[in-house]
Amino acid sequence: MASQFLSNATVSSPFSSSRPRLSPFVFSRLPSKPLPKRVFIVRSKIREIFMPALSSTMTEGKIVSWIKSEGDKLSKGESVVVVESDKADMDVETFYDGILAAIVVGEGETAPVGAPIGILAETEEDIAEAKARAGSKSAAAAAIAPSPAPPTSNPAPPISQLKPAPAPAVPVAEGPRKTVATPYAKKLAKQHKVDIASLVGTGPFGRISPADVEAAAGITPSKTNVEPVVVAQPTAPPKAAAAASAPSSLPPPVPGSTVVPFTTMQAAVSKNMVDSLSVPTFRVGYPVTTDALDALYEKVKPKGVTMTALLAKAAAMALVQHPVVNASCKDGKSFTYNSNINIAVAVAINGGLITPVLQDADKLDLYLLSQKWKELVEKARAKQLQPQEYNSGTFTLSNLGMFGVDRFDAILPPGQGAIMAVGASKPTVVADADGFFTVRNKMLVNVTADHRIVYGADLAAFLQTFSKIVENPETLTL
Amino acid sequence: MHSSLSLSFSQATAAAIPRPNFAVDSLVFAQSKPLNLRFCGLRREAFGFSPLTKSSSLRVCLPARGQARGKISASVADNGTAPKSFDYDLIIIGAGVGGHGAALHAVEKGLKTAIIEGDVVGGTCVNRGCVPSKALLAVSGKMRELQSEHHMKALGLQVSAAGYDRQGVADHANNLASKIRSNLTNSMKALGVDILTGVGTILGPQKVKYGKVGLPDKIVTAKDIIIATGSVPFVPKGIEVDGKTVITSDHALKLEFVPDWIAIVGSGYIGLEFSDVYTALGSEVTFIEALDQLMPGFDPEIGKLAQRVLINPRKIDYHTGVFASKITPARDGKPVTIELIDAKTKEHKDTLEVDAALIATGRAPFTNGLGLENINVVTQRGFVPVDERMRVIDANGNLVSHLYCIGDANGKMMLAHAASAQGISVVEQVTGRDHVLNHLSIPAACFTHPEISMVGLTEPQAREKAEMEGFEVSVAKTSFKANTKALAENEGEGLAKLIYRPDNGEILGVHIFGLHAADLIHEASNAIALGTRIQDIKFAVHAHPTLSEVLDELFKSAKVQAHASTPVSEPVAV
């Protein structure tokens, strides 16, 4: 990079503005000599050259090149070293005359702001002493440099790290520990001074995702800038921030209790559930007569069709007519209409919950859908679902009817517009318009939706369509 | 020769217009007229065809373009020796951008030209390279703008929720490729270039065989042959490409999926452009570079600035000085794993687990099966050895007459437009005008946001050359921050750098990083190609306000000792 400096000499003024010559180093006296406050009067023999702070956001700097080499005489105002900050390369000049006795931080190396990078001796006699000091400095620096960020999982707030410890630099030099963090997660961790080794990843394959770092730093994700724009909001304000900072106010655990950390899947569920609090939801229930559906089910059961497939198909067909229920609200400012109808179906799996997705459920016929579902369930049991097979849902179906549950209330998963909770179908006495009593199988369907985009009338109309389809299920087999 | 031909023509026109077979004509003619000595070869071959059935089979071999400038179709038979007359003046093997450029220029120069293509017209650039990638980069550029709330706000714009449809983006790239492909095909057809389908193999001097699998090969002869077979992505050993999670640029351009986290092996043009696309579409990127710094090959100063703008603020990290010794695609529920070893010590350094890996480690020449052994040419790491006039050099170091190689296959400068320029240079030579292409005048560009472009030498190269040849080198720089148009676009980030000789004003190199850099470089590359000196070009006028003023300023800021070479020209009345 010496060329940089050479070139600089011939550069005309318009450019030099972007690489300003900089104000002097921070010079300090060595702490060994007690000094009065008026620095410039005191005759100091040896001065340390510190890494300057070249911008308000700079935490560390890289030495691009030393313009002077050890033993060179420096005079006040001369450029000594080129430092690269997060913004630009800058020539840094000296405020003092002297001799560059030793270079502590070599070219290409990085040092935190304020760390000594070189030693300046006033006279030649001082050089030996300065070198000795430099030796001890660089040894100390070497001792610090290779050690990775404190590996102990320190639950204390990360802000307490006052020293600019050698944070994980971008060219990653990972030790033997097997923490996988994505590039952006690492950047965020550095920015917010989060110790990445103390985090538990919730991303794919247990890796640390940007969201994990943001959660640890107690900041809301920059992307989902959810502002309550809609005025007619019946539901509660977002509580995500409160939830994130909650751990500090938790009561101590009851003695004798065991603490079992979340599995990756459980951590993901937990995160999703907390995230769901930021969405204003409401619920609409609807009784659906299922005699015809039950009859159809008996007929198609031998062909491998499950009730789940029937319900998914019915929901998909209803969604075709009510695209807004299949939409989602990603940013709090707009509708995102999904081009596909992908029905996610909640499945309990030992100790967890996963939602395999029946993609294009409106387009596939019932038998293909049933087959697909069988495959998905097998994959889910074997934990072989691919990400797009469990996170591409646009609408979720949750059925607890088989356990005899007559009605329940589902939580809307983030990123979707609505979720349908299906209860058991039970014989119910109903009176028709003429006053005759009959017994019909009825099930209660309860839909939870994001009120930012789906309004009550939308859901009511959707449920009406759904009910009609279930009551006249012949269309399902077409 | 010519007299014979004109007679043959007149006969053809005298007969019924839709002449199916001019070989028959010449046959009839050959028998009925006395021939002078110059026609001997022709007559012998013509007699060889006397049965009519045979001559019609010949017609199949020679796509019915009978009347074209006076080459008698002939030499199906004899092997070994060079044919005396030829089916074509020029045959180009490979219909990529290089072959296309050569073919168009050959037609302009009056050569009867054929182009052999075993795959699709357009080659790598149009189908799997520069063209579809520009479609993806156009999308990524717009996404970047829309996502940059800060940028939009500064312009007073409000945009909510920029999103994209992966299939739609992929279709855009694919449609662009097919559109350019058909343009290319049509332009050649319209000019009368024969497109011969099949894999071309050189049989001997001036003789080429081509054919598709399952069909009999056909043999054609030409006075001159250009090899323009291009290149394929280079995949280092140890890397298993499955086309889904471990991919090359060929697969990536189809954009079949956008991974959450992709490792890009290699930080040259291809890697850099794809990092721009993937990060704009929401992926995180990890670069793996064997050399000690990212973006080798760029001027170091430009590279550093580019890194500050294109890498550091984005969701990208990198490992430098490491090789990816082993890459295993995602399978059995496991992510893609990448073993990293130190580039120097070969010790294991790290193992990465990512969602996908893109291999962008460069390109390898596609010269297998070309039949180079038939003419005693040995490739060097697959590249066809050529001299500065693109003439092929054989194993003994001698030139192979009438055989040229252009483009990626010779490895001189692996750029589409360089191949085309080399092809044009070859056509100039075979039509009797000596021509040597100045590769230092060929610009190169990387279409990131903002773009990077360059022509000529980098600063270290220039200084090395200066040291050897004993001249001085100076550098001038201007910033986009001072350019009105760039500021109007709110895109002031950028730098233009001129490397020149202060004694005579020669431009040694120009490097630009900034808005529309790829379009701006041509003023500099033209100046280098035409030998224009700074002291002259600084008087050229640029429209205001335009980005081209960045270069204007650059030239004006250079301190040249020499004075403008041309005196004040005659005033022109307006």
Side-chain angles (χ1 to χ4, degrees), chain B residues 227 365 367 370 372 377-380 382-386 392 405 409-411:
Chain B
I227 299 169
T367 50
L370 249 180
L372 292 170
V377 170
V378 178
T379 59
Q380 293 163 357
F383 292 109
V384 178
V386 293
V392 174
C405 178
N410 72 30

Side-chain angles (χ1 to χ4, degrees), chain B residues 372 375-380 384-388 390-405:
Chain B
L372 292 170
I375 42 167
N376 192 28
V377 170
V378 178
T379 59
Q380 293 163 357
V384 178
V386 293
D387 71 352
E388 76 283 356
M390 310 303 139
R391 293 178 290 198
V392 174
I393 299 170
D394 72 9
N396 306 324
N398 302 321
L399 293 177
V400 181
S401 55
H402 302 293
L403 183 65
Y404 302 83
C405 178

Side-chain angles (χ1 to χ4, degrees), chain A residues 89 182 184 187 207 331, chain B residues 284 308 312 314 316 355:
Chain A
D89 289 354
T182 72
Y184 187 46
K187 266 181 197 177
R207 71 169 71 123
D331 57 352
Chain B
E284 295 182 38
R308 212 170 268 145
N312 295 350
R314 297 186 180 170
I316 301 177
D355 296 322

Side-chain angles (χ1 to χ4, degrees), chain A residues 112-193:
Chain A
V113 168
I117 56 174
I119 308 279
L120 187 70
E122 202 154 283
T123 59
E124 292 195 12
E125 293 85 68
D126 302 324
I127 290 180
E129 193 193 339
K131 278 200 170 155
R133 286 183 197 281
S136 66
K137 286 286 173 201
S138 52
I144 297 168
S147 73
T152 45
S153 54
N154 186 0
I159 303 108
S160 66
Q161 299 176 329
L162 284 177
K163 275 203 169 180
V170 179
V172 202
E174 278 184 341
R177 84 204 141 90
K178 197 64 213 155
T179 311
V180 180
T182 72
Y184 187 46
K186 284 180 206 154
K187 266 181 197 177
L188 279 176
K190 194 175 171 188
Q191 198 182 332
H192 296 290
K193 297 199 171 63

Side-chain angles (χ1 to χ4, degrees), chain A residues 318-329:
Chain A
L319 286 170
V320 172
Q321 297 179 40
H322 302 276
V324 74
V325 184
N326 193 48
S328 50
C329 181

Side-chain angles (χ1 to χ4, degrees), chain B residues 53-249:
Chain B
T53 48
K54 248 196 184 169
S55 62
S56 67
S57 77
L58 169 72
R59 193 171 65 85
V60 179
C61 159
L62 228 201
R65 297 189 16 86
Q67 272 107 322
R69 307 155 205 100
K71 296 292 160 183
I72 304 296
S73 52
S75 55
V76 179
D78 58 339
N79 251 325
T81 57
K84 299 287 186 297
S85 63
F86 304 99
D87 299 331
Y88 292 101
D89 296 321
L90 180 64
I91 285 184
I92 301 156
I93 307 176
V97 168
H100 176 258
L104 258 52
H105 194 60
V107 171
E108 192 188 317
K109 287 283 174 181
L111 301 184
K112 186 187 177 198
T113 308
I115 196 158
I116 299 177
E117 178 55 58
D119 188 21
V120 282
V121 171
T124 296
C125 175
V126 171
N127 299 292
R128 298 173 299 273
C130 358
V131 169
S133 68
K134 294 305 96 60
L136 297 184
L137 282 159
V139 172
S140 82
K142 294 197 163 58
M143 275 300 282
R144 258 181 217 299
E145 261 178 50
L146 295 174
Q147 284 170 339
S148 167
E149 223 168 288
H150 172 72
H151 182 99
M152 283 291 161
K153 225 174 238 171
L155 293 173
L157 290 177
Q158 284 181 351
V159 177
S160 59
Y164 70 96
D165 163 30
R166 183 200 54 76
Q167 192 57 48
V169 178
D171 289 348
H172 173 50
N174 192 29
N175 292 344
L176 179 71
S178 32
K179 186 170 184 181
I180 304 293
R181 183 165 62 232
S182 68
N183 286 354
L184 232 60
T185 313
N186 292 342
S187 70
M188 290 199 289
K189 279 189 181 151
L191 288 170
V193 176
D194 283 343
I195 301 174
L196 313 177
T197 313
V199 177
T201 307
I202 296 167
L203 290 181
Q206 298 171 299
K207 192 180 297 178
V208 179
K209 165 185 95 169
Y210 72 96
K212 278 184 181 169
V213 179
L215 291 171
D217 288 342
K218 290 156 193 168
I219 294 169
V220 278
T221 58
K223 184 167 161 290
D224 294 290
I225 296 171
I226 298 179
I227 299 169
T229 44
S231 60
V232 291
F234 168 69
V235 178
K237 68 174 170 28
I239 296 177
E240 186 186 338
V241 171
D242 71 343
K244 292 191 175 67
T245 55
V246 179
I247 57 179
T248 66
S249 57

Side-chain angles (χ1 to χ4, degrees), chain B residues 33 46 64 72 89 105-106 118 141 154 163 243 259 268 318-319 327 367 392 411 437 460 500 503 547 569:
Chain B
K33 290 268 178 174
I72 304 296
D89 296 321
H105 194 60
Y318 51 85
H319 300 254
I327 300 186
T367 50
V392 174
L437 180 64
Y500 65 102
D503 55 342
L547 288 173
S569 45

